PDB file of all heavy atoms in Angstrom:
ATOM      1  N   GLU F  32      -5.590  18.499   3.859  1.00 89.00           N
ATOM      2  CA  GLU F  32      -5.652  17.053   3.616  1.00 89.00           C
ATOM      3  C   GLU F  32      -5.909  16.298   4.925  1.00 89.00           C
ATOM      4  O   GLU F  32      -6.707  15.373   4.972  1.00 89.00           O
ATOM      5  CB  GLU F  32      -4.362  16.536   2.985  1.00 89.00           C
ATOM      6  CG  GLU F  32      -4.400  15.022   2.768  1.00 89.00           C
ATOM      7  CD  GLU F  32      -3.077  14.420   2.324  1.00 89.00           C
ATOM      8  OE1 GLU F  32      -2.075  15.139   2.215  1.00 89.00           O
ATOM      9  OE2 GLU F  32      -3.055  13.201   2.113  1.00 89.00           O
ATOM     10  N   GLU F  33      -5.226  16.709   5.987  1.00 90.00           N
ATOM     11  CA  GLU F  33      -5.420  16.044   7.278  1.00 90.00           C
ATOM     12  C   GLU F  33      -6.849  16.202   7.768  1.00 90.00           C
ATOM     13  O   GLU F  33      -7.426  15.259   8.321  1.00 90.00           O
ATOM     14  CB  GLU F  33      -4.449  16.606   8.307  1.00 90.00           C
ATOM     15  CG  GLU F  33      -3.013  16.206   8.058  1.00 90.00           C
ATOM     16  CD  GLU F  33      -2.035  16.932   8.951  1.00 90.00           C
ATOM     17  OE1 GLU F  33      -2.269  18.103   9.304  1.00 90.00           O
ATOM     18  OE2 GLU F  33      -1.023  16.308   9.289  1.00 90.00           O
ATOM     19  N   LEU F  34      -7.435  17.378   7.588  1.00 91.00           N
ATOM     20  CA  LEU F  34      -8.819  17.590   8.032  1.00 91.00           C
ATOM     21  C   LEU F  34      -9.782  16.635   7.337  1.00 91.00           C
ATOM     22  O   LEU F  34     -10.756  16.177   7.935  1.00 91.00           O
ATOM     23  CB  LEU F  34      -9.257  19.039   7.787  1.00 91.00           C
ATOM     24  CG  LEU F  34      -8.709  20.055   8.770  1.00 91.00           C
ATOM     25  CD1 LEU F  34      -9.038  21.471   8.307  1.00 91.00           C
ATOM     26  CD2 LEU F  34      -9.256  19.819  10.171  1.00 91.00           C
ATOM     27  N   GLU F  35      -9.502  16.305   6.080  1.00 91.00           N
ATOM     28  CA  GLU F  35     -10.351  15.382   5.338  1.00 91.00           C
ATOM     29  C   GLU F  35     -10.131  13.933   5.739  1.00 91.00           C
ATOM     30  O   GLU F  35     -11.023  13.113   5.632  1.00 91.00           O
ATOM     31  CB  GLU F  35     -10.105  15.525   3.837  1.00 91.00           C
ATOM     32  CG  GLU F  35     -10.579  16.842   3.268  1.00 91.00           C
ATOM     33  CD  GLU F  35     -10.306  16.952   1.776  1.00 91.00           C
ATOM     34  OE1 GLU F  35     -10.163  15.911   1.104  1.00 91.00           O
ATOM     35  OE2 GLU F  35     -10.243  18.089   1.295  1.00 91.00           O
ATOM     36  N   ARG F  36      -8.937  13.611   6.228  1.00 91.00           N
ATOM     37  CA  ARG F  36      -8.582  12.216   6.456  1.00 91.00           C
ATOM     38  C   ARG F  36      -8.367  11.830   7.911  1.00 91.00           C
ATOM     39  O   ARG F  36      -8.131  10.660   8.208  1.00 91.00           O
ATOM     40  CB  ARG F  36      -7.296  11.904   5.687  1.00 91.00           C
ATOM     41  CG  ARG F  36      -7.436  12.121   4.192  1.00 91.00           C
ATOM     42  CD  ARG F  36      -6.238  11.657   3.437  1.00 91.00           C
ATOM     43  NE  ARG F  36      -6.052  10.219   3.646  1.00 91.00           N
ATOM     44  CZ  ARG F  36      -4.908   9.592   3.432  1.00 91.00           C
ATOM     45  NH1 ARG F  36      -3.851  10.239   3.024  1.00 91.00           N
ATOM     46  NH2 ARG F  36      -4.814   8.290   3.639  1.00 91.00           N
ATOM     47  N   VAL F  37      -8.451  12.766   8.826  1.00 90.00           N
ATOM     48  CA  VAL F  37      -8.025  12.531  10.206  1.00 90.00           C
ATOM     49  C   VAL F  37      -8.776  11.378  10.900  1.00 90.00           C
ATOM     50  O   VAL F  37      -8.225  10.723  11.766  1.00 90.00           O
ATOM     51  CB  VAL F  37      -8.114  13.846  11.027  1.00 90.00           C
ATOM     52  CG1 VAL F  37      -9.542  14.239  11.294  1.00 90.00           C
ATOM     53  CG2 VAL F  37      -7.314  13.747  12.303  1.00 90.00           C
ATOM     54  N   PHE F  38     -10.008  11.084  10.483  1.00 89.00           N
ATOM     55  CA  PHE F  38     -10.757   9.989  11.102  1.00 89.00           C
ATOM     56  C   PHE F  38     -10.597   8.662  10.363  1.00 89.00           C
ATOM     57  O   PHE F  38     -11.179   7.661  10.763  1.00 89.00           O
ATOM     58  CB  PHE F  38     -12.239  10.351  11.215  1.00 89.00           C
ATOM     59  CG  PHE F  38     -12.512  11.427  12.231  1.00 89.00           C
ATOM     60  CD1 PHE F  38     -12.985  12.660  11.837  1.00 89.00           C
ATOM     61  CD2 PHE F  38     -12.299  11.206  13.583  1.00 89.00           C
ATOM     62  CE1 PHE F  38     -13.245  13.655  12.765  1.00 89.00           C
ATOM     63  CE2 PHE F  38     -12.558  12.192  14.524  1.00 89.00           C
ATOM     64  CZ  PHE F  38     -13.028  13.425  14.106  1.00 89.00           C
ATOM     65  N   GLU F  39      -9.817   8.630   9.292  1.00 89.00           N
ATOM     66  CA  GLU F  39      -9.583   7.378   8.562  1.00 89.00           C
ATOM     67  C   GLU F  39      -8.717   6.451   9.411  1.00 89.00           C
ATOM     68  O   GLU F  39      -7.712   6.895   9.982  1.00 89.00           O
ATOM     69  CB  GLU F  39      -8.858   7.637   7.242  1.00 89.00           C
ATOM     70  CG  GLU F  39      -9.679   8.337   6.204  1.00 89.00           C
ATOM     71  CD  GLU F  39      -8.885   8.577   4.931  1.00 89.00           C
ATOM     72  OE1 GLU F  39      -7.800   7.965   4.737  1.00 89.00           O
ATOM     73  OE2 GLU F  39      -9.352   9.407   4.123  1.00 89.00           O
ATOM     74  N   PRO F  40      -9.080   5.158   9.468  1.00 88.00           N
ATOM     75  CA  PRO F  40      -8.242   4.217  10.225  1.00 88.00           C
ATOM     76  C   PRO F  40      -6.820   4.171   9.665  1.00 88.00           C
ATOM     77  O   PRO F  40      -6.608   4.192   8.452  1.00 88.00           O
ATOM     78  CB  PRO F  40      -8.934   2.869  10.016  1.00 88.00           C
ATOM     79  CG  PRO F  40     -10.328   3.202   9.615  1.00 88.00           C
ATOM     80  CD  PRO F  40     -10.261   4.526   8.896  1.00 88.00           C
ATOM     81  N   LEU F  41      -5.855   4.142  10.556  1.00 83.00           N
ATOM     82  CA  LEU F  41      -4.431   4.010  10.270  1.00 83.00           C
ATOM     83  C   LEU F  41      -3.811   5.235   9.602  1.00 83.00           C
ATOM     84  O   LEU F  41      -2.654   5.203   9.200  1.00 83.00           O
ATOM     85  CB  LEU F  41      -4.145   2.755   9.425  1.00 83.00           C
ATOM     86  CG  LEU F  41      -4.653   1.448  10.028  1.00 83.00           C
ATOM     87  CD1 LEU F  41      -4.376   0.296   9.079  1.00 83.00           C
ATOM     88  CD2 LEU F  41      -4.030   1.181  11.388  1.00 83.00           C
ATOM     89  N   TYR F  42      -4.538   6.340   9.507  1.00 79.00           N
ATOM     90  CA  TYR F  42      -3.975   7.553   8.923  1.00 79.00           C
ATOM     91  C   TYR F  42      -3.138   8.285   9.959  1.00 79.00           C
ATOM     92  O   TYR F  42      -3.582   8.515  11.077  1.00 79.00           O
ATOM     93  CB  TYR F  42      -5.075   8.482   8.395  1.00 79.00           C
ATOM     94  CG  TYR F  42      -4.520   9.772   7.847  1.00 79.00           C
ATOM     95  CD1 TYR F  42      -3.854   9.784   6.625  1.00 79.00           C
ATOM     96  CD2 TYR F  42      -4.623  10.954   8.555  1.00 79.00           C
ATOM     97  CE1 TYR F  42      -3.307  10.952   6.119  1.00 79.00           C
ATOM     98  CE2 TYR F  42      -4.084  12.128   8.058  1.00 79.00           C
ATOM     99  CZ  TYR F  42      -3.426  12.123   6.842  1.00 79.00           C
ATOM    100  OH  TYR F  42      -2.885  13.281   6.362  1.00 79.00           O
ATOM    101  N   ARG F  43      -1.919   8.635   9.577  1.00 76.00           N
ATOM    102  CA  ARG F  43      -1.030   9.442  10.406  1.00 76.00           C
ATOM    103  C   ARG F  43      -0.667  10.663   9.588  1.00 76.00           C
ATOM    104  O   ARG F  43      -0.089  10.551   8.511  1.00 76.00           O
ATOM    105  CB  ARG F  43       0.226   8.675  10.786  1.00 76.00           C
ATOM    106  CG  ARG F  43      -0.047   7.492  11.673  1.00 76.00           C
ATOM    107  CD  ARG F  43       1.302   6.873  12.061  1.00 76.00           C
ATOM    108  NE  ARG F  43       1.111   5.534  12.548  1.00 76.00           N
ATOM    109  CZ  ARG F  43       1.342   4.438  11.853  1.00 76.00           C
ATOM    110  NH1 ARG F  43       1.775   4.494  10.636  1.00 76.00           N
ATOM    111  NH2 ARG F  43       1.149   3.264  12.394  1.00 76.00           N
ATOM    112  N   GLY F  44      -0.986  11.831  10.086  1.00 70.00           N
ATOM    113  CA  GLY F  44      -0.821  13.051   9.320  1.00 70.00           C
ATOM    114  C   GLY F  44       0.594  13.486   9.054  1.00 70.00           C
ATOM    115  O   GLY F  44       0.877  14.105   8.050  1.00 70.00           O
ATOM    116  N   GLU F  45       1.500  13.177   9.915  1.00 63.00           N
ATOM    117  CA  GLU F  45       2.875  13.646   9.731  1.00 63.00           C
ATOM    118  C   GLU F  45       3.834  12.468   9.772  1.00 63.00           C
ATOM    119  O   GLU F  45       3.567  11.450  10.406  1.00 63.00           O
ATOM    120  CB  GLU F  45       3.242  14.681  10.797  1.00 63.00           C
ATOM    121  CG  GLU F  45       3.063  14.167  12.203  1.00 63.00           C
ATOM    122  CD  GLU F  45       3.387  15.210  13.247  1.00 63.00           C
ATOM    123  OE1 GLU F  45       2.574  16.116  13.446  1.00 63.00           O
ATOM    124  OE2 GLU F  45       4.456  15.084  13.852  1.00 63.00           O
ATOM    125  N   SER F  46       4.961  12.615   9.111  1.00 58.00           N
ATOM    126  CA  SER F  46       5.907  11.498   8.997  1.00 58.00           C
ATOM    127  C   SER F  46       6.545  11.126  10.333  1.00 58.00           C
ATOM    128  O   SER F  46       7.002  10.005  10.508  1.00 58.00           O
ATOM    129  CB  SER F  46       7.001  11.837   7.980  1.00 58.00           C
ATOM    130  OG  SER F  46       7.695  13.002   8.386  1.00 58.00           O
ATOM    131  N   SER F  47       6.568  12.042  11.300  1.00 55.00           N
ATOM    132  CA  SER F  47       7.171  11.714  12.592  1.00 55.00           C
ATOM    133  C   SER F  47       6.286  10.763  13.400  1.00 55.00           C
ATOM    134  O   SER F  47       6.737  10.164  14.365  1.00 55.00           O
ATOM    135  CB  SER F  47       7.427  12.982  13.406  1.00 55.00           C
ATOM    136  OG  SER F  47       6.211  13.589  13.796  1.00 55.00           O
ATOM    137  N   ARG F  48       5.040  10.632  13.008  1.00 53.00           N
ATOM    138  CA  ARG F  48       4.137   9.699  13.697  1.00 53.00           C
ATOM    139  C   ARG F  48       4.198   8.355  12.979  1.00 53.00           C
ATOM    140  O   ARG F  48       3.720   8.207  11.870  1.00 53.00           O
ATOM    141  CB  ARG F  48       2.715  10.220  13.677  1.00 53.00           C
ATOM    142  CG  ARG F  48       2.564  11.523  14.378  1.00 53.00           C
ATOM    143  CD  ARG F  48       1.392  11.447  15.302  1.00 53.00           C
ATOM    144  NE  ARG F  48       1.305  12.679  16.063  1.00 53.00           N
ATOM    145  CZ  ARG F  48       1.367  12.710  17.369  1.00 53.00           C
ATOM    146  NH1 ARG F  48       1.494  11.609  18.054  1.00 53.00           N
ATOM    147  NH2 ARG F  48       1.275  13.849  18.003  1.00 53.00           N
ATOM    148  N   ASN F  49       4.819   7.395  13.626  1.00 54.00           N
ATOM    149  CA  ASN F  49       4.880   6.056  13.062  1.00 54.00           C
ATOM    150  C   ASN F  49       4.934   5.058  14.211  1.00 54.00           C
ATOM    151  O   ASN F  49       4.948   5.438  15.373  1.00 54.00           O
ATOM    152  CB  ASN F  49       6.082   5.913  12.112  1.00 54.00           C
ATOM    153  CG  ASN F  49       7.395   6.224  12.786  1.00 54.00           C
ATOM    154  OD1 ASN F  49       7.710   5.636  13.822  1.00 54.00           O
ATOM    155  ND2 ASN F  49       8.146   7.158  12.230  1.00 54.00           N
ATOM    156  N   ARG F  50       4.948   3.789  13.872  1.00 58.00           N
ATOM    157  CA  ARG F  50       4.873   2.779  14.914  1.00 58.00           C
ATOM    158  C   ARG F  50       6.079   2.831  15.863  1.00 58.00           C
ATOM    159  O   ARG F  50       5.956   2.520  17.035  1.00 58.00           O
ATOM    160  CB  ARG F  50       4.724   1.399  14.293  1.00 58.00           C
ATOM    161  CG  ARG F  50       3.346   1.265  13.642  1.00 58.00           C
ATOM    162  CD  ARG F  50       3.087  -0.100  13.091  1.00 58.00           C
ATOM    163  NE  ARG F  50       2.499  -1.098  13.942  1.00 58.00           N
ATOM    164  CZ  ARG F  50       1.320  -1.070  14.513  1.00 58.00           C
ATOM    165  NH1 ARG F  50       0.582  -0.004  14.434  1.00 58.00           N
ATOM    166  NH2 ARG F  50       0.861  -2.091  15.191  1.00 58.00           N
ATOM    167  N   SER F  51       7.234   3.232  15.392  1.00 62.00           N
ATOM    168  CA  SER F  51       8.404   3.261  16.271  1.00 62.00           C
ATOM    169  C   SER F  51       8.391   4.458  17.223  1.00 62.00           C
ATOM    170  O   SER F  51       8.961   4.395  18.303  1.00 62.00           O
ATOM    171  CB  SER F  51       9.698   3.247  15.452  1.00 62.00           C
ATOM    172  OG  SER F  51       9.803   4.422  14.683  1.00 62.00           O
ATOM    173  N   THR F  52       7.741   5.567  16.846  1.00 59.00           N
ATOM    174  CA  THR F  52       7.686   6.740  17.722  1.00 59.00           C
ATOM    175  C   THR F  52       6.376   6.835  18.486  1.00 59.00           C
ATOM    176  O   THR F  52       6.184   7.731  19.286  1.00 59.00           O
ATOM    177  CB  THR F  52       7.872   8.041  16.916  1.00 59.00           C
ATOM    178  OG1 THR F  52       6.827   8.152  15.950  1.00 59.00           O
ATOM    179  CG2 THR F  52       9.218   8.084  16.237  1.00 59.00           C
ATOM    180  N   GLY F  53       5.483   5.923  18.232  1.00 60.00           N
ATOM    181  CA  GLY F  53       4.205   5.909  18.933  1.00 60.00           C
ATOM    182  C   GLY F  53       3.075   6.371  18.030  1.00 60.00           C
ATOM    183  O   GLY F  53       3.250   7.226  17.186  1.00 60.00           O
ATOM    184  N   GLY F  54       1.938   5.787  18.226  1.00 66.00           N
ATOM    185  CA  GLY F  54       0.778   6.150  17.431  1.00 66.00           C
ATOM    186  C   GLY F  54       0.527   5.161  16.322  1.00 66.00           C
ATOM    187  O   GLY F  54       1.399   4.880  15.510  1.00 66.00           O
ATOM    188  N   SER F  55      -0.673   4.619  16.303  1.00 71.00           N
ATOM    189  CA  SER F  55      -1.035   3.655  15.270  1.00 71.00           C
ATOM    190  C   SER F  55      -1.976   4.251  14.232  1.00 71.00           C
ATOM    191  O   SER F  55      -2.287   3.614  13.242  1.00 71.00           O
ATOM    192  CB  SER F  55      -1.709   2.436  15.911  1.00 71.00           C
ATOM    193  OG  SER F  55      -2.914   2.837  16.539  1.00 71.00           O
ATOM    194  N   GLY F  56      -2.446   5.470  14.465  1.00 72.00           N
ATOM    195  CA  GLY F  56      -3.398   6.062  13.542  1.00 72.00           C
ATOM    196  C   GLY F  56      -4.821   5.607  13.799  1.00 72.00           C
ATOM    197  O   GLY F  56      -5.674   5.716  12.923  1.00 72.00           O
ATOM    198  N   LEU F  57      -5.088   5.091  14.979  1.00 81.00           N
ATOM    199  CA  LEU F  57      -6.435   4.598  15.297  1.00 81.00           C
ATOM    200  C   LEU F  57      -7.152   5.416  16.362  1.00 81.00           C
ATOM    201  O   LEU F  57      -8.361   5.279  16.532  1.00 81.00           O
ATOM    202  CB  LEU F  57      -6.358   3.136  15.764  1.00 81.00           C
ATOM    203  CG  LEU F  57      -5.959   2.140  14.698  1.00 81.00           C
ATOM    204  CD1 LEU F  57      -5.756   0.765  15.324  1.00 81.00           C
ATOM    205  CD2 LEU F  57      -6.998   2.076  13.600  1.00 81.00           C
ATOM    206  N   GLY F  58      -6.451   6.273  17.080  1.00 87.00           N
ATOM    207  CA  GLY F  58      -7.037   6.965  18.225  1.00 87.00           C
ATOM    208  C   GLY F  58      -8.276   7.771  17.902  1.00 87.00           C
ATOM    209  O   GLY F  58      -9.317   7.625  18.551  1.00 87.00           O
ATOM    210  N   LEU F  59      -8.211   8.642  16.891  1.00 90.00           N
ATOM    211  CA  LEU F  59      -9.381   9.465  16.559  1.00 90.00           C
ATOM    212  C   LEU F  59     -10.482   8.643  15.907  1.00 90.00           C
ATOM    213  O   LEU F  59     -11.666   8.911  16.106  1.00 90.00           O
ATOM    214  CB  LEU F  59      -8.976  10.639  15.664  1.00 90.00           C
ATOM    215  CG  LEU F  59      -8.173  11.729  16.367  1.00 90.00           C
ATOM    216  CD1 LEU F  59      -7.729  12.795  15.375  1.00 90.00           C
ATOM    217  CD2 LEU F  59      -8.978  12.356  17.492  1.00 90.00           C
ATOM    218  N   THR F  60     -10.111   7.617  15.141  1.00 91.00           N
ATOM    219  CA  THR F  60     -11.110   6.735  14.531  1.00 91.00           C
ATOM    220  C   THR F  60     -11.935   6.043  15.613  1.00 91.00           C
ATOM    221  O   THR F  60     -13.170   6.039  15.571  1.00 91.00           O
ATOM    222  CB  THR F  60     -10.417   5.666  13.652  1.00 91.00           C
ATOM    223  OG1 THR F  60      -9.628   6.314  12.674  1.00 91.00           O
ATOM    224  CG2 THR F  60     -11.438   4.752  13.001  1.00 91.00           C
ATOM    225  N   ILE F  61     -11.265   5.480  16.579  1.00 92.00           N
ATOM    226  CA  ILE F  61     -11.945   4.778  17.673  1.00 92.00           C
ATOM    227  C   ILE F  61     -12.747   5.756  18.521  1.00 92.00           C
ATOM    228  O   ILE F  61     -13.896   5.476  18.886  1.00 92.00           O
ATOM    229  CB  ILE F  61     -10.920   3.997  18.529  1.00 92.00           C
ATOM    230  CG1 ILE F  61     -10.331   2.850  17.699  1.00 92.00           C
ATOM    231  CG2 ILE F  61     -11.560   3.476  19.815  1.00 92.00           C
ATOM    232  CD1 ILE F  61      -9.134   2.180  18.328  1.00 92.00           C
ATOM    233  N   SER F  62     -12.164   6.910  18.819  1.00 92.00           N
ATOM    234  CA  SER F  62     -12.873   7.912  19.630  1.00 92.00           C
ATOM    235  C   SER F  62     -14.188   8.330  18.980  1.00 92.00           C
ATOM    236  O   SER F  62     -15.220   8.422  19.635  1.00 92.00           O
ATOM    237  CB  SER F  62     -11.988   9.144  19.834  1.00 92.00           C
ATOM    238  OG  SER F  62     -10.831   8.806  20.530  1.00 92.00           O
ATOM    239  N   LYS F  63     -14.147   8.588  17.674  1.00 94.00           N
ATOM    240  CA  LYS F  63     -15.357   9.012  16.975  1.00 94.00           C
ATOM    241  C   LYS F  63     -16.415   7.911  16.987  1.00 94.00           C
ATOM    242  O   LYS F  63     -17.595   8.180  17.218  1.00 94.00           O
ATOM    243  CB  LYS F  63     -15.042   9.412  15.533  1.00 94.00           C
ATOM    244  CG  LYS F  63     -16.245   9.989  14.806  1.00 94.00           C
ATOM    245  CD  LYS F  63     -15.866  10.563  13.469  1.00 94.00           C
ATOM    246  CE  LYS F  63     -17.067  11.250  12.843  1.00 94.00           C
ATOM    247  NZ  LYS F  63     -16.691  11.915  11.589  1.00 94.00           N
ATOM    248  N   LYS F  64     -16.003   6.660  16.787  1.00 94.00           N
ATOM    249  CA  LYS F  64     -16.963   5.552  16.813  1.00 94.00           C
ATOM    250  C   LYS F  64     -17.618   5.417  18.186  1.00 94.00           C
ATOM    251  O   LYS F  64     -18.820   5.196  18.290  1.00 94.00           O
ATOM    252  CB  LYS F  64     -16.287   4.240  16.414  1.00 94.00           C
ATOM    253  CG  LYS F  64     -16.023   4.163  14.935  1.00 94.00           C
ATOM    254  CD  LYS F  64     -15.460   2.818  14.543  1.00 94.00           C
ATOM    255  CE  LYS F  64     -15.224   2.813  13.050  1.00 94.00           C
ATOM    256  NZ  LYS F  64     -14.954   1.499  12.519  1.00 94.00           N
ATOM    257  N   ILE F  65     -16.833   5.549  19.235  1.00 92.00           N
ATOM    258  CA  ILE F  65     -17.386   5.429  20.588  1.00 92.00           C
ATOM    259  C   ILE F  65     -18.408   6.537  20.855  1.00 92.00           C
ATOM    260  O   ILE F  65     -19.518   6.277  21.321  1.00 92.00           O
ATOM    261  CB  ILE F  65     -16.263   5.463  21.649  1.00 92.00           C
ATOM    262  CG1 ILE F  65     -15.431   4.185  21.574  1.00 92.00           C
ATOM    263  CG2 ILE F  65     -16.840   5.658  23.057  1.00 92.00           C
ATOM    264  CD1 ILE F  65     -14.154   4.226  22.398  1.00 92.00           C
ATOM    265  N   VAL F  66     -18.030   7.779  20.552  1.00 91.00           N
ATOM    266  CA  VAL F  66     -18.936   8.906  20.801  1.00 91.00           C
ATOM    267  C   VAL F  66     -20.204   8.774  19.964  1.00 91.00           C
ATOM    268  O   VAL F  66     -21.311   8.994  20.457  1.00 91.00           O
ATOM    269  CB  VAL F  66     -18.214  10.252  20.537  1.00 91.00           C
ATOM    270  CG1 VAL F  66     -19.180  11.411  20.596  1.00 91.00           C
ATOM    271  CG2 VAL F  66     -17.093  10.452  21.540  1.00 91.00           C
ATOM    272  N   ARG F  67     -20.086   8.380  18.701  1.00 92.00           N
ATOM    273  CA  ARG F  67     -21.261   8.240  17.826  1.00 92.00           C
ATOM    274  C   ARG F  67     -22.187   7.116  18.286  1.00 92.00           C
ATOM    275  O   ARG F  67     -23.398   7.238  18.215  1.00 92.00           O
ATOM    276  CB  ARG F  67     -20.828   8.024  16.389  1.00 92.00           C
ATOM    277  CG  ARG F  67     -20.213   9.297  15.803  1.00 92.00           C
ATOM    278  CD  ARG F  67     -19.831   9.136  14.379  1.00 92.00           C
ATOM    279  NE  ARG F  67     -21.051   9.317  13.580  1.00 92.00           N
ATOM    280  CZ  ARG F  67     -21.106   9.120  12.289  1.00 92.00           C
ATOM    281  NH1 ARG F  67     -20.041   8.724  11.634  1.00 92.00           N
ATOM    282  NH2 ARG F  67     -22.227   9.312  11.630  1.00 92.00           N
ATOM    283  N   ARG F  68     -21.611   6.024  18.754  1.00 92.00           N
ATOM    284  CA  ARG F  68     -22.444   4.900  19.229  1.00 92.00           C
ATOM    285  C   ARG F  68     -23.240   5.273  20.477  1.00 92.00           C
ATOM    286  O   ARG F  68     -24.224   4.644  20.798  1.00 92.00           O
ATOM    287  CB  ARG F  68     -21.596   3.668  19.476  1.00 92.00           C
ATOM    288  CG  ARG F  68     -21.174   3.050  18.169  1.00 92.00           C
ATOM    289  CD  ARG F  68     -20.660   1.665  18.328  1.00 92.00           C
ATOM    290  NE  ARG F  68     -20.338   1.136  17.001  1.00 92.00           N
ATOM    291  CZ  ARG F  68     -19.458   0.196  16.794  1.00 92.00           C
ATOM    292  NH1 ARG F  68     -18.810  -0.340  17.802  1.00 92.00           N
ATOM    293  NH2 ARG F  68     -19.216  -0.233  15.578  1.00 92.00           N
ATOM    294  N   HIS F  69     -22.791   6.289  21.173  1.00 88.00           N
ATOM    295  CA  HIS F  69     -23.519   6.778  22.341  1.00 88.00           C
ATOM    296  C   HIS F  69     -24.457   7.919  21.982  1.00 88.00           C
ATOM    297  O   HIS F  69     -25.025   8.557  22.865  1.00 88.00           O
ATOM    298  CB  HIS F  69     -22.541   7.210  23.434  1.00 88.00           C
ATOM    299  CG  HIS F  69     -21.892   6.048  24.122  1.00 88.00           C
ATOM    300  ND1 HIS F  69     -22.519   5.325  25.108  1.00 88.00           N
ATOM    301  CD2 HIS F  69     -20.688   5.464  23.941  1.00 88.00           C
ATOM    302  CE1 HIS F  69     -21.723   4.351  25.513  1.00 88.00           C
ATOM    303  NE2 HIS F  69     -20.604   4.412  24.813  1.00 88.00           N
ATOM    304  N   GLY F  70     -24.600   8.206  20.692  1.00 89.00           N
ATOM    305  CA  GLY F  70     -25.540   9.231  20.257  1.00 89.00           C
ATOM    306  C   GLY F  70     -24.969  10.630  20.168  1.00 89.00           C
ATOM    307  O   GLY F  70     -25.715  11.603  20.110  1.00 89.00           O
ATOM    308  N   GLY F  71     -23.661  10.758  20.147  1.00 91.00           N
ATOM    309  CA  GLY F  71     -23.030  12.066  20.079  1.00 91.00           C
ATOM    310  C   GLY F  71     -22.279  12.274  18.788  1.00 91.00           C
ATOM    311  O   GLY F  71     -22.536  11.605  17.788  1.00 91.00           O
ATOM    312  N   GLY F  72     -21.339  13.197  18.795  1.00 93.00           N
ATOM    313  CA  GLY F  72     -20.548  13.488  17.609  1.00 93.00           C
ATOM    314  C   GLY F  72     -19.171  13.977  17.983  1.00 93.00           C
ATOM    315  O   GLY F  72     -18.914  14.339  19.135  1.00 93.00           O
ATOM    316  N   LEU F  73     -18.290  13.982  17.000  1.00 94.00           N
ATOM    317  CA  LEU F  73     -16.906  14.404  17.202  1.00 94.00           C
ATOM    318  C   LEU F  73     -16.434  15.069  15.915  1.00 94.00           C
ATOM    319  O   LEU F  73     -16.628  14.527  14.832  1.00 94.00           O
ATOM    320  CB  LEU F  73     -16.040  13.182  17.523  1.00 94.00           C
ATOM    321  CG  LEU F  73     -14.623  13.401  18.013  1.00 94.00           C
ATOM    322  CD1 LEU F  73     -14.605  14.125  19.346  1.00 94.00           C
ATOM    323  CD2 LEU F  73     -13.901  12.071  18.148  1.00 94.00           C
ATOM    324  N   THR F  74     -15.849  16.260  16.043  1.00 94.00           N
ATOM    325  CA  THR F  74     -15.328  16.974  14.878  1.00 94.00           C
ATOM    326  C   THR F  74     -13.915  17.471  15.147  1.00 94.00           C
ATOM    327  O   THR F  74     -13.521  17.624  16.304  1.00 94.00           O
ATOM    328  CB  THR F  74     -16.197  18.199  14.516  1.00 94.00           C
ATOM    329  OG1 THR F  74     -16.169  19.135  15.600  1.00 94.00           O
ATOM    330  CG2 THR F  74     -17.632  17.799  14.216  1.00 94.00           C
TER     331      THR F  74
END
Side-chain angles (χ1 to χ4, degrees):
E32 178 188 3
E33 289 171 327
L34 284 172
E35 292 180 23
R36 300 187 61 199
V37 71
F38 290 114
E39 290 179 15
L41 304 177
Y42 177 73
R43 295 184 198 102
E45 56 182 75
S46 59
S47 67
R48 299 228 176 240
N49 58 54
R50 291 184 89 62
S51 65
T52 60
S55 63
L57 292 173
L59 288 176
T60 303
I61 293 169
S62 298
K63 186 171 186 175
K64 285 185 180 192
I65 290 170
V66 172
R67 290 182 81 187
R68 287 195 177 154
H69 286 280
L73 191 63
T74 63

